[in-house]
Amino acid sequence: ASGLTGAALLAACGGSDADAAPPLPAATQQAVDRIVEQRLAAQNLPGAVVLISIPGQGEMVKAYGKANLQTNQPRNAADPFRIASITKTFIGTVILQLVDDGRLALTDPVSRWYPSFPNGSAITIDHLLRMRSGIADSLDDGFLDEWYANPTALVTPQQAIDRSAARAAEFVAPDTVTRYTNINFVLLDEIAARVSGQDIRTLLRRRIYEPLGMTHTVYPQGTALDGANRGYLFNP
């Protein structure tokens, strides 16, 4: 997902002994093991990290499989990994904070920042947040062919916006159809930066990670990550 949208958050499972919950019962952990192993085999996944917390019963954090298929290095729960489209929940939170601050209104049209964007005067911040903008996705078959050929190529937000704009004939009227596409949040990323004067990485750090003490979460740019995890792509 990070290659498609420019960047995605990184997270790692971590915590201190002081706030550690008791372990889940052994039978529950064994049942989780069976389910995870089945899913890894069914989806041909190299590895996974699972965190389960059940109030009143306990918690389980466990890594399965391999971080690297060439070296056979095992997966480690402490290594960071991309959370892909879960990033959208963070972006949405920042947008709503900017609304609370009076920097934005949910009724603001996209044309305020992108005057030439198709339907921009009818598409609002609210439509983008709710995936009700009617904008055609930038990830058409042509793009996917290019991406499979070079999955580490950098795709800038402006390139994604331009590709969607070029598909204007496929747009539908705003607030008539719910259609999940990355381009809605690519636009929100860019609008948040223009409104605040800070890039999305800085906004997330100052408004979410630092206030909540999230020391294991970052917004990387590019393909290089810390830790041992190696990314793999299913190319049909």
Side-chain angles (χ1 to χ4, degrees):
S2 63
L4 300 181
T5 58
L9 290 179
L10 265 180
C13 294
S16 65
D17 292 337
D19 60 10
L24 287 173
T28 303
Q29 295 197 44
Q30 291 167 6
V32 171
D33 287 344
R34 289 192 296 271
I35 292 169
V36 174
E37 295 293 353
Q38 289 169 0
R39 298 307 298 170
L40 292 179
Q43 297 185 23
N44 194 28
L45 300 176
V49 173
V50 172
L51 184 152
I52 297 175
S53 180
I54 303 177
Q57 294 190 38
E59 187 175 279
M60 172 183 178
V61 180
K62 187 172 180 178
Y64 299 82
K66 299 175 182 178
N68 188 307
L69 296 177
Q70 282 69 48
T71 66
N72 289 320
Q73 177 150 346
R75 187 73 187 262
N76 187 325
D79 277 337
F81 55 93
R82 294 186 189 273
I83 64 171
S85 285
I86 297 173
T87 303
K88 292 182 175 72
T89 63
F90 289 74
I91 304 303
T93 298
V94 167
I95 291 293
L96 293 176
Q97 289 176 342
L98 292 171
V99 170
D100 285 344
D101 292 346
R103 307 269 194 99
L104 277 174
L106 292 176
T107 54
D108 282 342
V110 168
S111 58
R112 174 179 167 188
W113 301 276
Y114 293 92
S116 62
F117 192 81
N119 265 15
S121 61
I123 300 168
T124 67
I125 296 296
D126 185 59
H127 294 146
L128 296 174
L129 285 168
R130 295 190 296 118
M131 300 290 182
R132 302 274 292 177
S133 67
I135 301 173
D137 200 350
S138 60
L139 310 184
D140 57 13
D141 290 342
F143 173 85
L144 292 175
D145 286 342
E146 294 172 18
W147 190 63
Y148 282 129
N150 188 5
T152 61
L154 177 65
V155 180
T156 68
Q158 190 59 53
Q159 286 173 327
I161 293 167
D162 289 344
R163 283 191 94 125
S164 275
R167 301 181 67 189
E170 301 171 50
F171 284 26
V172 298
D175 210 23
T176 58
V177 176
T178 301
R179 186 165 57 189
Y180 183 99
T181 60
N182 286 330
I183 193 62
N184 290 286
F185 275 72
V186 172
L187 282 163
L188 289 171
D189 279 13
E190 294 301 290
I191 289 170
R194 294 188 184 197
V195 165
S196 67
Q198 299 173 332
D199 66 17
I200 196 63
R201 302 175 77 193
T202 303
L203 286 170
L204 290 171
R205 176 172 55 81
R206 292 181 176 177
R207 287 177 169 265
I208 297 182
Y209 314 154
E210 290 177 354
L212 295 179
M214 298 175 68
T215 58
H216 299 290
T217 304
V218 298
Y219 190 101
Q221 292 179 326
T223 60
L225 306 179
D226 292 331
N229 287 332
R230 170 74 162 81
Y232 295 94
L233 172 71
F234 176 74
N235 183 345

